[in-house]
């Protein structure tokens, strides 16, 4: 047997065969887009930022409020998004990318992969807010329609889409918000949803305390 050179010996001792590792973990196989983190070489990885408990940072929605699990957004409107971060966020993103996903049944042409589109790409995250214009920032070649099953994603642009569900302590983990779309027909029929009505901020009507007391007194007298 020929003597092993230094490189072969190192591989033998490590018990592994070198592979063409791109520096990223497994892909979600969402699509074939090039939305990857900015890096100087194919072997660089996003660095962690020293979270004390090893957890990634997460988005906490403010608008729409997180109490609304699946908010309603009006077609042909401007949707206001506002958020904050939880206590695990040690290195907030400087830039974010927002993507939408069409409901089930919509696929990328010629494939069975879900249909995604960019709502915003590499925009500043300093204000922790974004206004989505559903007219100009809709899926190219498609029309937003009434219904459920839509999804909205917010990721750290420096981490990238394929890497956004990997855990990097103190850095943003992929945020996903399911939502529905509705169309206001108020202008046409006067019976639909009023224009610019915000169903996510609607509250129940309050009953005056005095009215309750009067009603109770009448019942008692009867």
């Amino acid at each position: 047997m020929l003597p092993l050179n230094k490189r072969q010996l190192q591989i033998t001792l490590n018990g592994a065969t070198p592979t063409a590792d791109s520096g990223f973990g497994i892909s979600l196989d969402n699509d074939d887009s090039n939305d990857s983190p900015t890096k100087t070489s194919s072997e660089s990885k996003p660095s962690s930022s020293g979270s004390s408990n090893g957890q990634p940072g997460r988005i906490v929605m403010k608008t729409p409020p997180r109490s609304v699990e699946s908010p309603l957004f009006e077609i042909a409107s401007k949707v206001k998004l506002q958020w904050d971060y939880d206590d695990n966020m040690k290195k907030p993103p400087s830039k974010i990318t927002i993507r939408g996903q069409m409901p089930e049944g919509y696929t990328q042409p010629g494939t069975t992969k879900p249909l995604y589109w960019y709502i915003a790409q590499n925009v500043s995250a300093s204000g922790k807010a974004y206004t989505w214009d559903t007219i100009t920032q809709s899926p190219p070649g498609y029309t937003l329609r009434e219904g459920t099953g839509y999804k909205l994603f917010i990721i750290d642009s420096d981490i990238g889409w394929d890497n956004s569900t990997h855990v990097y302590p103190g850095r943003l983990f992929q945020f996903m918000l399911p939502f529905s779309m509705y169309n206001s027909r108020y202008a046409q029929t006067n019976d639909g949803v009023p224009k610019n009505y915000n169903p996510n901020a609607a509250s129940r009507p309050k009953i005056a305390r005095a009215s309750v007391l009067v009603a109770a007194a009448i019942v008692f007298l009867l």
Side-chain angles (χ1 to χ4, degrees):
M1 178 182 295
L2 296 175
L4 297 176
N5 60 36
K6 183 177 180 181
R7 175 62 175 166
Q8 291 172 322
L9 180 61
Q10 182 180 6
I11 295 172
T12 302
L13 292 176
N14 289 340
T17 302
T19 60
D21 185 2
S22 65
F24 294 92
I26 59 171
S27 169
L28 294 178
D29 198 29
N30 289 325
D31 58 16
D32 295 321
S33 69
N34 293 320
D35 182 27
S36 57
T38 303
K39 49 195 177 74
T40 56
S41 73
S42 61
E43 296 183 355
S44 62
K45 297 182 180 180
S47 61
S48 301
S49 58
S51 176
S52 59
N53 57 9
Q55 295 297 314
R58 296 181 185 273
I59 281 178
V60 179
M61 289 303 294
K62 298 175 66 176
T63 306
R66 59 178 178 173
S67 59
V68 181
E69 294 183 359
S70 184
L72 289 168
F73 297 148
E74 182 184 356
I75 295 172
S77 71
K78 293 185 178 181
V79 176
K80 294 182 179 180
L81 304 170
Q82 188 176 11
W83 62 89
D84 209 335
Y85 302 118
D86 66 9
D87 293 338
N88 293 319
M89 184 69 75
K90 304 302 180 184
K91 186 179 180 181
S94 59
K95 298 177 296 181
I96 58 163
T97 292
I98 304 176
R99 300 185 82 179
Q101 179 183 332
M102 293 291 282
E104 186 176 354
Y106 289 86
T107 58
Q108 298 179 38
T111 74
T112 59
K113 296 179 179 180
L115 180 62
Y116 296 88
W117 82 96
Y118 286 104
I119 295 173
Q121 190 172 13
N122 299 325
V123 296
S124 173
S126 60
K128 293 182 285 187
Y130 188 80
T131 299
W132 168 28
D133 188 330
T134 62
I135 297 178
T136 61
Q137 297 166 330
S138 60
Y142 294 85
T143 301
L144 296 174
R145 300 182 181 276
E146 290 179 302
T148 61
Y150 289 91
K151 295 178 182 178
L152 181 145
F153 300 87
I154 302 177
I155 66 168
D156 185 332
S157 296
D158 289 331
I159 291 178
W161 175 254
D162 287 344
N163 230 21
S164 62
T165 56
H166 293 185
V167 174
Y168 294 99
R171 300 194 64 174
L172 180 61
F173 190 84
Q174 181 190 95
F175 172 79
M176 188 276 288
L177 177 70
F179 67 94
S180 302
M181 301 293 293
Y182 74 93
N183 188 21
S184 172
R185 297 178 179 84
Y186 188 74
Q188 293 87 3
T189 67
N190 206 38
D191 294 324
V193 180
K195 200 71 174 176
N196 298 320
Y197 167 71
N198 183 1
N200 306 308
S203 60
R204 296 180 180 179
K206 296 181 179 179
I207 301 176
R209 185 169 180 268
S211 299
V212 175
L213 294 176
V214 171
I218 293 174
V219 171
F220 178 77
L221 291 175
L222 294 176

